[in-house]
Amino acid sequence: MKRRSFFKKTSTAVAGIGLTASSCAKTTKIEAEKGFKVCATIVENKVNIYAKEIKVPIKVVHIADTHLFKDDERGIPYQQYSGRMAKAYNETVHFKTGEATNPEEAFEQALTYAKEEHADVIALIGDIFSFPSEAAIEWVQLKLKETGIPFIYTAGNHDWHYEGMEGDLASLRNTWIEKRLLPLYQGNNPLMAAYDIKEVRFLAIDNSIYQINEEQLTFFKEQVASGTPLVLLVHIPMYAPGKSIYFGCGNPNWGAATDTNFELEKRPKWPESGHTQTTFDFYKTVFNAPNLLSVFSGHIHQNSIEIINGKPQIVTDDNASGGYLDIDFLPLEEKDAKLI
């Protein structure tokens, strides 16, 4: 594949990710405009999403922020850029047991759980790697293949970032996606892709530079217009009022004035002007999408749930400390539907 050629293609096709092909649920325009009635429950890392548009159960194991630092001799020329993150997660404390663990052990435990529970799909939603190490990427590919479970991948801000390497964030992302991460996308557009699983459409949209581009916005609007039940997968959580963080996709406070980590992470400072209008338009489109069931993300290394305009956004603990989400999408029974 020629350099940059992948990013010139608009990805509006739907990937089957190795599952039995099936047409998505047909939703009338009137039903879609009214909006889906969604119920969400969460206890620790167990999440249930209920809606009558979900026809059959779907189990997803959702993983983010593993921060694998595995490397070999191929990484030696890049050690000046990988040094800090290579030491950041050598040993961690399990979020539930309090016992010592590490990223490799935690990742394998999550995959083992997915296999034992016969998960329909594994969602890898960014910062699986602390930097784009060839050894770590190959190791993940092998471990995923061993499960026999289809997977979805979208990048986080660390997956493609060598700290201190010159270039703007968008060009660095494109460079290291094509040089290292491309096999994880399984032939789909790295910045936006749709995956149909049992009549629910999972959208993996890369917001790892904190912003959204015009092509991604158009793509998402097309998915909303389809009326198909949607689940949005993004690495960086969508902004929620009241959160004590200065980042978040669509955050009106995001920008140079609140960027306290650019020197530590050795990257360009966030722009003085803040988010683009396209990013704000994406935010508004997401939380006004009548057929959106939920948003799932990572990045902040802390489990949380936000309800924005009636839409649940659920964030996972970091997998480096053993965290992952065990998600079941379930039909809403008629007796429960009548209550709401």
Side-chain angles (χ1 to χ4, degrees), residues 17 27 42 118 129 178 194 209 255 266 296 302 335:
I17 63 172
T27 304
I42 179 169
H118 305 288
F129 314 102
E178 289 216 23
I209 61 171
K266 297 180 182 178
F296 288 92
Q302 184 177 4
K335 62 180 176 63

Side-chain angles (χ1 to χ4, degrees), residues 13 17 25 30 34 114 130-131 155 164 179 190 194 201 217 244 248 251 273 290:
I17 63 172
I30 293 175
K34 287 181 179 179
S130 277
F131 50 91
K179 281 188 173 182
R201 183 165 293 171
L217 175 59
S244 59
N251 189 336
S273 57

Side-chain angles (χ1 to χ4, degrees), residues 107-316:
F107 188 74
E108 290 192 281
Q109 287 176 348
L111 295 191
T112 297
Y113 181 82
K115 192 169 183 178
E116 289 174 349
E117 295 297 313
H118 305 288
D120 293 292
V121 66
I122 297 167
L124 305 174
I125 311 302
D127 284 2
I128 304 304
F129 314 102
S130 277
F131 50 91
S133 158
E134 289 173 280
I137 293 166
E138 291 168 356
W139 184 82
V140 164
Q141 287 180 269
L142 176 62
K143 293 300 177 181
L144 289 169
K145 184 177 181 180
E146 288 175 351
T147 69
I149 301 171
F151 69 90
I152 299 169
Y153 170 78
T154 191
N157 51 302
H158 285 285
D159 287 335
W160 46 261
H161 184 44
Y162 274 126
E163 295 184 343
M165 189 169 285
E166 291 187 5
D168 64 84
L169 297 183
S171 64
L172 288 171
R173 175 176 67 177
N174 290 358
T175 293
W176 293 103
I177 281 177
E178 289 216 23
K179 281 188 173 182
R180 301 280 174 81
L181 298 167
L182 201 55
L184 291 170
Y185 297 98
Q186 305 164 87
N188 300 305
N189 190 320
L191 302 189
M192 70 214 90
Y195 301 82
D196 281 350
I197 305 171
K198 297 181 178 178
E199 302 189 1
V200 173
R201 183 165 293 171
F202 290 75
L203 304 179
I205 296 184
D206 186 327
N207 68 348
S208 62
I209 61 171
Y210 297 89
Q211 307 228 62
I212 294 295
N213 65 32
E214 286 284 353
E215 190 178 9
Q216 290 172 310
L217 175 59
T218 298
F219 170 77
F220 186 75
K221 286 181 175 179
E222 289 171 348
Q223 303 306 318
V224 174
S226 74
T228 301
L230 303 177
V231 175
L232 177 60
L233 306 174
V234 288
H235 176 64
I236 296 173
M238 306 299 290
Y239 167 72
K243 295 286 284 189
S244 59
I245 54 175
Y246 286 110
F247 48 81
C249 192
N251 189 336
N253 302 312
W254 183 85
T258 58
D259 190 359
T260 58
N261 286 334
F262 73 98
E263 291 180 322
L264 175 67
E265 296 178 353
K266 297 180 182 178
R267 56 166 172 75
K269 197 173 188 178
W270 297 338
E272 295 286 346
S273 57
H275 278 312
T276 62
Q277 186 58 50
T278 300
T279 302
F280 287 123
D281 290 346
F282 176 74
Y283 182 92
K284 187 174 183 178
T285 304
V286 167
F287 291 111
N288 284 281
N291 51 328
L292 180 68
L293 297 174
S294 54
V295 180
F296 288 92
S297 62
H299 188 63
I300 63 173
H301 293 211
Q302 184 177 4
N303 183 264
S304 72
I305 180 169
E306 298 86 39
I307 308 297
I308 304 166
N309 198 24
K311 309 293 184 183
Q313 171 175 261
I314 300 170
V315 186
T316 181

Side-chain angles (χ1 to χ4, degrees), residues 18-84:
L19 302 179
T20 302
S22 62
S23 59
C24 276
K26 301 297 182 183
T27 304
T28 67
K29 185 176 181 181
I30 293 175
E31 288 174 332
E33 287 177 349
K34 287 181 179 179
F36 296 167
K37 294 178 179 179
V38 179
C39 295
T41 64
I42 179 169
V43 179
E44 293 186 335
N45 69 324
K46 182 72 189 79
V47 181
N48 291 333
I49 302 290
Y50 298 90
K52 70 176 184 178
E53 289 77 16
I54 300 169
K55 303 304 180 184
V56 292
I58 304 169
K59 179 172 282 292
V60 180
V61 171
H62 174 92
I63 301 170
D65 303 288
T66 310
H67 286 286
L68 291 161
F69 55 88
K70 191 180 186 72
D71 209 357
D72 59 19
E73 67 279 357
R74 291 171 293 178
I76 293 174
Y78 302 96
Q79 286 179 347
Q80 62 177 311
Y81 305 114
S82 63
R84 184 182 75 90

